[in-house]
Amino acid sequence: MSVRKPMKRLLALRVMEEQREQTELRMQRQLRQVCLEALEASEARKVAALRVLHTALDTGDRAEAISVEMALACGPLERHALQRRLAQLDSMIEKASAAWQSSRVRRLQIETIVDAQEARSCREAQSREQKTIDGWFLTSRAESPAARSYENFQREVSGAAQSDGAARATTL
């Protein structure tokens, strides 16, 4: 019984560890999603800027065309930084996923040990209980007057059969 309490504490620690790792993985995935959305927004701004550039060129608005070209020139730098960050996040997600899976395996191993201990403890308790019941039944049967008179009767019948020489069948 003294082993069960530390194992349950260890199981609780493993559960908390798994939850922490899962939360970390979820946060990394959320960061990746934000980065991915920023990359998609940058691509959308590029497409919109190209439309504005063509409109400005068609209308002859040089100031607007220059402004849009400057914005278009900065776009690749922004997208490159976002792509690098996305690659970093992918690596971090892979590590966080491996850590979460590892913590899950450790939790499942401890859970299996705890379950086996509880099953063994239950079997032992049932065995002790059955032995107690058996002992009570045997002692109560030996102490009852009816059981004693039946045993005395059996002795008398057995003694009479042996004394008169008649063969008697006995049961096992």
Side-chain angles (χ1 to χ4, degrees):
M1 279 217 164
S2 63
V3 176
R4 283 181 21 196
K5 197 170 188 177
M7 291 303 283
K8 285 194 175 196
R9 285 183 185 156
L10 183 58
L11 177 60
L13 287 172
R14 293 296 185 210
V15 167
M16 288 189 308
E17 177 187 40
E18 180 184 1
Q19 290 171 345
R20 187 185 71 238
E21 297 291 343
Q22 189 176 23
T23 301
E24 178 65 25
L25 178 60
R26 189 177 302 120
M27 286 175 29
Q28 295 296 331
R29 285 181 176 163
Q30 288 172 347
L31 286 173
R32 183 185 185 282
Q33 186 61 36
V34 167
C35 188
L36 192 59
E37 289 169 358
L39 186 60
E40 290 170 356
S42 178
E43 290 291 332
R45 283 192 301 275
K46 174 185 166 187
V47 170
L50 284 172
R51 275 192 236 122
V52 171
L53 176 63
H54 288 296
T55 303
L57 290 175
D58 286 344
T59 60
D61 188 359
R62 284 182 64 126
E64 182 70 20
I66 291 172
S67 173
V68 172
E69 282 182 355
M70 293 300 289
L72 283 171
C74 292
L77 295 173
E78 177 188 30
R79 284 187 293 282
H80 181 67
L82 288 170
Q83 288 169 342
R84 269 197 336 254
R85 178 70 177 144
L86 198 57
Q88 289 173 341
L89 287 171
D90 285 341
S91 173
M92 292 169 67
I93 286 172
E94 187 177 315
K95 290 176 186 173
S97 179
W100 173 66
Q101 288 173 352
S102 177
S103 67
R104 182 172 174 83
V105 166
R106 287 191 302 271
R107 183 206 32 104
L108 289 171
Q109 288 171 337
I110 296 298
E111 199 171 81
T112 301
I113 291 169
V114 168
D115 289 346
Q117 282 180 339
E118 287 178 352
R120 184 174 47 248
S121 176
C122 184
R123 283 192 310 269
E124 289 171 357
Q126 287 174 343
S127 177
R128 282 191 304 271
E129 183 179 339
Q130 187 62 47
K131 286 178 182 179
T132 302
I133 291 171
D134 291 347
W136 173 82
F137 178 75
L138 291 174
T139 57
S140 68
R141 187 162 161 81
E143 294 173 359
S144 75
R148 272 187 258 134
S149 66
Y150 178 74
E151 289 172 2
N152 289 337
F153 173 74
Q154 287 293 326
R155 279 191 218 118
E156 289 173 8
V157 169
S158 147
Q162 288 175 355
S163 65
D164 68 7
R168 181 170 190 284
T170 59
T171 59
L172 296 176

